[in-house]
Amino acid sequence: MQKLQIILLILAQTASTAHAHYSIHREGGKVSWEFPKSHTPTYRERLAFASQVFSQSGNSRRSGHKYQHLDSDVELEVTEDLMKIIGGIERLHSSLSSARRHGSGFPDGFSGAHGAHGANEARVMVDSLKASLHALADIGAVSSSCVNDTGYLITSMVQGEAWALGFLDATGKPGPGLSKFRVNFVGDYDLCRDLVSNGSAAVFRGNYVTWSVSLGPVSPASLFPSLMIKLGACMPDTCSDDENTLFLSEAVQLLGLNGTLMVQKAESHTPHREATAATVVAIVILCVLGMLMIAGTFYDVVYCQWPRWREQWMAEEAEKSINTFMSNGGSTVADPSSSNHTQGRVDDDEPLILKNDTSVQNPNSTGLTPGKLVKALLAFSVYTNGSKVLNTTHTKGSITCIHGIRFFSMSWVILGHTFAFSLSAASNVSTLVPTLFSRWTFDGIANAYVSVDSFFTLSGLLVSYLTVTEMKKRGWRLNWALFYFHRFWRLTPPYMLAIVLVLGLQRFCGQGPLWETVQPADKVFCEKYWWTNLLYINNLVYTDKVCFGHSWYLANDMQFFVLSPLMIIPFYFNGFLGVFSCGIFFLAHVITTASLSVHNKWGATLYTGGDALSYFTHYYEAPWCRIGPYIVGILTGYLLATKRDRIKLTWLTATIGWLLATAVALAIVYGLRGDIGGKHITSVGVAALYNALARSAWGACLCWVIVACTTGWGGFVNSFLSWSPFVVLGRLTYMSYLIHLSLIAIICGNEQALFYATSLNLAMMFISIMVATYGISFFLMLALESPMIGLEKVFLPQHKKDK
């Protein structure tokens, strides 16, 4: 009976401070209703929420207020309501403890800390809950089975029935930290799902339901209140989500109390998952890919690799025999080692790149060149694709330090997302955030957004470097159609397949109290607007309905690639003309970004407050505001392609370059201590200058590292970034970027309780997500990305001549 305080507190005392904003309509004998519904936050909204939490923390440290988006009267009312909830816990605990000492139910005239007043308060709450059920049943809004089962459950709890107390035990309970607004009471999901009622009056099972009460109304202007009270309640499975919500809201009205909290729609967390068309397509794709990988690997190993291995083995045996013969004084004979041993060498062009004048060499074959279908099948060979992915040799003239830069940039992206997206599973956000943001060392995570600019810089550099090199050989009239097709083919199939797999299968990857009922969060948008991703315009149209939210980067990168010839071709005619063309684009970018920043009063970082969604949509994801680092990369790529061997640095210039690049990079990441720490906010003008130039400056610092490493002034930095494991990990960054957010959602969503976040366990979570991401990325590269590369080389062999 002592535990009865929990269900009464949440269903009545907490609910008594909530508005019951819903209406019931009856037309033609059909009852309908509407009430607020809290949707699953999307990628952009989650990051906006994180920034809101951070900025609220900074504002509270500066001004001492808890809720900066509320006026003083409302803030006072919220505080009073929360204190009323905490006081209700104490009163109910005292009264129900006394009731338990005097037997079941609420006897009249017992003594205790609050005497008859406490017992009477509890009885009124129980009666109000029962009355709300009957009121809803009278108008046909709640089914008779739901009314009977819920009423029977409440009565059995009051009477102390053991099975009913099991439902109560599985329900979330307020714990320590209420004064710190730790008001997400999760409960026990597994226990609730295993419970069954005991009695002849009703037979039902436990259904885990999350009730949410928001701090004020949820509107487009306030998608994420800074406080959302949540309770995981164990209810009869005969009640739907609508009925559970109506039940709670009606109880509020009968209690006749109003406050600043609003009841949101209840959500049931069940193991049942809906199989959609995307699920079927995803399963079919996996089955087809699996069969192709098995067949391709079998053919490759049996008909291509095994003859090589056998010839190599026979040559080694013959060499051993000759050595034995020579050691015994035998005469010199023809040395088998002089025969062709190239079959034992891993040829990078086979079997995926088969030129028109080559054939697969097989000693036991008929000498026929495999057809295109056979070559296409070999494109799915796990053996050959795996060998190529794991191959760490470098071709002459390659820029080896890029591999390490790719890996660390991707790690930085995952680190920032891990922290931002794990907030929903942490119990101590209100105390964790101020602590972390007060440390300057945390700025590297808080300002991890520039990690994406590293990829923009590398992309522009490589496109410029390879294209200028090719134009030096063949002139500017390259096969530009193939130039665009090559890019589209390399990126799009893995991209689209990843969307299908996530859309169709992610919902089956978890369950529990923290598992979102909509998986992925942008499911509805993907089902309707997937074509915007296919055309790489999802950052330009339907920007409020984005599918695969983090794919904004892919859209930007493809749009920059489409424009790149306008900046690269002029270099063929005159270097200054190319610089002038890039300068026009860069100047337009700087002016546009600075003007928009001033007009919208954007801060230098998300944590200065303001409209975070506007910041993301119109600045962070807008191509005209992000092209700066790409242009810097194009200029550097041209420099390396034309003057790489002529770049002569002295010890003095190299030292100055390293010191200047290091200082600028540190200033970009750690120079916003006042904004992130909440002690000194940058002015609008300075913030506009930072937004317009900082990302390009970051790209310039990165380009210095690449130039220094390629000209012999990289030292241990070049050796470290060129480390052979980074070659492999760098190849996996594309697939890692596509899937890492889904893995974070799966790992955090499968938590059965909120965890107390610390720097250590967040670091361990990051490491585990990194390992899982790269492990799965390796498999998906063999299944998705590498075969697409192989198919392109099979059906477009002329691309080596015209790329």
Side-chain angles (χ1 to χ4, degrees):
M1 285 298 295
Q2 184 176 358
K3 295 180 180 179
L4 186 58
Q5 59 175 312
I6 309 305
I7 192 69
L8 294 179
L9 169 70
I10 301 302
L11 293 184
Q13 188 65 46
T14 301
S16 69
T17 64
H19 289 297
H21 291 279
Y22 78 97
S23 57
I24 296 180
H25 308 282
R26 191 165 193 167
E27 297 180 2
K30 184 178 180 180
V31 177
S32 61
W33 52 83
E34 57 183 5
F35 39 77
K37 181 179 179 181
S38 57
H39 70 289
T40 302
T42 61
Y43 166 80
R44 181 190 294 159
E45 292 169 344
R46 284 187 184 276
L47 289 183
F49 172 51
S51 67
Q52 232 178 46
V53 171
F54 302 155
S55 62
Q56 289 287 345
S57 172
N59 291 337
S60 64
R61 292 194 299 274
R62 290 191 303 272
S63 63
H65 291 286
K66 300 180 181 66
Y67 311 111
Q68 291 298 307
H69 64 288
L70 298 178
D71 57 45
S72 57
D73 293 337
V74 175
E75 181 180 335
L76 178 61
E77 189 176 359
V78 170
T79 304
E80 291 176 350
D81 287 340
L82 291 176
M83 292 304 102
K84 187 185 299 182
I85 293 173
I86 298 174
I89 294 178
E90 298 175 352
R91 293 194 299 273
L92 287 173
H93 176 80
S94 177
S95 62
L96 292 177
S97 297
S98 300
R100 184 179 183 182
R101 290 195 298 270
H102 289 80
S104 299
F106 302 106
D108 295 329
F110 69 86
S111 60
H114 293 277
H117 172 72
N120 184 63
E121 182 183 61
R123 183 188 294 109
V124 169
M125 292 179 181
V126 174
D127 291 341
S128 296
L129 294 176
K130 292 182 178 179
S132 68
L133 288 173
H134 293 296
L136 292 172
D138 290 341
I139 62 174
V142 180
S143 63
S144 58
S145 58
C146 178
V147 172
N148 295 334
D149 294 346
T150 304
Y152 179 54
L153 174 61
I154 294 174
T155 302
S156 300
M157 285 182 182
V158 174
Q159 294 176 351
E161 297 286 343
W163 68 269
L165 293 179
F167 279 73
L168 184 62
D169 186 31
T171 298
K173 303 166 182 61
L178 284 174
S179 60
K180 298 294 184 180
F181 306 105
R182 296 178 188 169
V183 286
N184 188 355
F185 315 127
V186 175
D188 194 321
Y189 172 84
D190 291 329
L191 174 60
C192 179
R193 297 293 303 173
D194 292 337
L195 292 174
V196 182
S197 63
N198 182 19
S200 57
V203 178
F204 53 83
R205 301 189 64 88
N207 179 38
Y208 186 91
V209 179
T210 297
W211 270 313
S212 301
V213 183
S214 68
L215 177 61
V218 175
S219 65
S222 178
L223 285 171
F224 294 97
S226 59
L227 179 65
M228 179 79 78
I229 299 176
K230 291 187 177 182
L231 168 74
C234 193
M235 298 293 292
D237 63 351
T238 51
C239 294
S240 66
D241 288 348
D242 290 342
E243 290 171 335
N244 283 323
T245 309
L246 288 169
F247 163 51
L248 181 61
S249 299
E250 186 67 15
V252 171
Q253 287 188 348
L254 290 175
L255 286 170
L257 299 175
N258 292 316
T260 60
L261 306 182
M262 176 176 286
V263 177
Q264 305 295 304
K265 184 178 179 180
E267 291 184 326
S268 295
H269 297 258
T270 67
H272 174 70
R273 301 289 182 269
E274 175 189 7
T276 63
T279 304
V280 177
V281 173
I283 294 175
V284 170
I285 289 175
L286 287 180
C287 292
V288 171
L289 289 176
M291 290 187 294
L292 289 174
M293 291 169 70
I294 293 173
T297 305
F298 177 81
Y299 188 94
D300 184 25
V301 171
V302 174
Y303 294 100
C304 297
Q305 305 302 331
W306 172 250
R308 295 181 178 183
W309 297 339
R310 184 176 59 180
E311 181 180 342
Q312 182 179 10
W313 175 78
M314 293 175 62
E316 291 175 352
E317 290 296 321
E319 187 174 359
K320 290 180 181 179
S321 300
I322 293 174
N323 291 336
T324 302
F325 179 77
M326 294 298 295
S327 63
N328 293 330
S331 60
T332 303
V333 297
D335 186 0
S337 63
S338 63
S339 62
N340 185 6
H341 278 201
T342 58
Q343 298 294 336
R345 179 177 57 86
V346 178
D347 189 349
D348 191 60
D349 287 340
E350 294 182 19
L352 292 184
I353 305 176
L354 295 173
K355 302 177 185 178
N356 291 332
D357 58 350
T358 61
S359 62
V360 176
Q361 300 296 325
N362 189 337
N364 293 334
S365 67
T366 60
L368 298 177
T369 302
K372 288 186 179 294
L373 291 180
V374 174
K375 296 176 184 177
L377 182 63
L378 288 172
F380 291 88
S381 170
V382 174
Y383 174 81
T384 299
N385 288 341
S387 299
K388 291 182 178 296
V389 173
L390 297 175
N391 182 21
T392 60
T393 58
H394 302 293
T395 59
K396 184 180 180 181
S398 61
I399 306 174
T400 57
C401 63
I402 284 181
H403 302 295
I405 295 174
R406 279 177 178 160
F407 170 71
F408 285 109
S409 297
M410 189 67 242
S411 302
W412 202 3
V413 171
I414 296 177
L415 178 61
H417 283 160
T418 298
F419 181 84
F421 283 70
S422 63
L423 289 176
S424 59
S427 63
N428 59 323
V429 174
S430 61
T431 55
L432 173 70
V433 171
T435 301
L436 292 179
F437 273 68
S438 64
R439 304 171 183 169
W440 69 268
T441 53
F442 187 72
D443 291 2
I445 299 176
N447 204 15
Y449 301 103
V450 295
S451 59
V452 182
D453 296 292
S454 298
F455 287 106
F456 283 140
T457 304
L458 294 179
S459 182
L461 185 148
L462 292 175
V463 168
S464 176
Y465 179 78
L466 296 175
T467 306
V468 170
T469 302
E470 199 67 18
M471 287 195 304
K472 287 168 57 179
K473 301 176 182 178
R474 310 180 189 280
W476 71 273
R477 294 181 179 179
L478 304 178
N479 190 334
W480 294 107
L482 193 59
F483 173 84
Y484 288 118
F485 176 81
H486 173 77
R487 182 74 168 187
F488 184 85
W489 180 259
R490 289 293 179 96
L491 296 183
T492 307
Y495 177 24
M496 292 296 105
L497 290 174
I499 290 179
V500 172
L501 294 179
V502 171
L503 185 61
L505 301 180
Q506 181 172 315
R507 73 195 66 178
F508 299 98
C509 295
Q511 61 178 335
L514 301 181
W515 186 253
E516 301 284 0
T517 55
V518 177
Q519 293 282 350
D522 46 17
K523 170 180 175 292
V524 177
F525 299 154
C526 285
E527 292 174 343
K528 191 172 182 180
Y529 301 106
W530 59 270
W531 56 271
T532 63
N533 297 74
L534 178 63
L535 299 178
Y536 293 93
I537 57 174
N538 50 296
N539 63 331
L540 300 177
V541 300
Y542 300 108
T543 55
D544 58 336
K545 301 177 179 64
V546 177
C547 166
F548 220 55
H550 58 298
S551 63
W552 68 267
Y553 161 77
L554 301 177
N556 275 270
D557 188 69
M558 181 62 76
Q559 291 157 13
F560 300 158
F561 183 82
V562 170
L563 295 175
S564 63
L566 298 178
M567 292 178 275
I568 296 175
I569 292 178
F571 281 115
Y572 176 77
F573 300 99
N574 187 281
F576 292 104
L577 186 62
V579 173
F580 177 78
S581 176
C582 291
I584 293 296
F585 277 93
F586 187 78
L587 184 62
H589 150 71
V590 171
I591 294 175
T592 302
T593 304
S595 301
L596 290 174
S597 184
V598 172
H599 179 267
N600 294 283
K601 294 182 173 58
W602 291 328
T605 178
L606 281 170
Y607 315 125
T608 55
D611 189 347
L613 288 180
S614 172
Y615 181 95
F616 269 106
T617 304
H618 302 297
Y619 168 68
Y620 191 74
E621 300 176 357
W624 42 83
C625 294
R626 301 304 299 270
I627 197 174
Y630 195 89
I631 298 173
V632 173
I634 285 180
L635 291 170
T636 307
Y638 167 75
L639 177 67
L640 292 177
T642 58
K643 306 180 184 302
R644 178 176 181 176
D645 297 332
R646 288 179 287 170
I647 299 176
K648 303 299 181 181
L649 299 176
T650 64
W651 181 89
L652 179 61
T653 56
T655 301
I656 294 175
W658 275 109
L659 292 176
L660 183 61
T662 303
V664 173
L666 290 176
I668 293 171
V669 177
Y670 293 96
L672 299 179
R673 176 87 288 262
D675 294 86
I676 296 176
K679 295 181 179 179
H680 176 71
I681 302 301
T682 304
S683 65
V684 174
V686 175
L689 184 65
Y690 182 90
N691 291 333
L693 297 176
R695 299 182 185 280
S696 300
W698 175 263
C701 295
L702 202 63
C703 287
W704 162 259
V705 174
I706 296 172
V707 170
C709 290
T710 54
T711 55
W713 292 93
F716 72 91
V717 175
N718 182 48
S719 300
F720 179 65
L721 294 177
S722 303
W723 190 35
S724 56
F726 292 154
V727 177
V728 178
L729 295 173
R731 293 189 181 117
L732 301 176
T733 52
Y734 181 49
M735 291 308 306
S736 298
Y737 185 80
L738 291 177
I739 68 168
H740 76 280
L741 277 180
S742 294
L743 292 180
I744 293 175
I746 291 171
I747 291 174
C748 293
N750 275 286
E751 294 284 346
Q752 295 298 306
L754 298 175
F755 73 97
Y756 190 90
T758 64
S759 299
L760 179 60
N761 57 26
L762 285 175
M764 297 305 296
M765 178 183 291
F766 161 68
I767 294 173
S768 64
I769 290 174
M770 280 281 291
V771 173
T773 297
Y774 277 92
I776 297 176
S777 295
F778 178 73
F779 169 78
L780 291 179
M781 177 142 190
L782 299 182
L784 302 179
E785 191 172 357
S786 292
M788 297 304 107
I789 297 174
L791 291 176
E792 181 194 16
K793 293 173 181 177
V794 170
F795 293 104
L796 292 174
Q798 72 275 15
H799 91 287
K800 288 181 69 65
K801 184 179 298 184
D802 299 328
K803 68 179 179 178

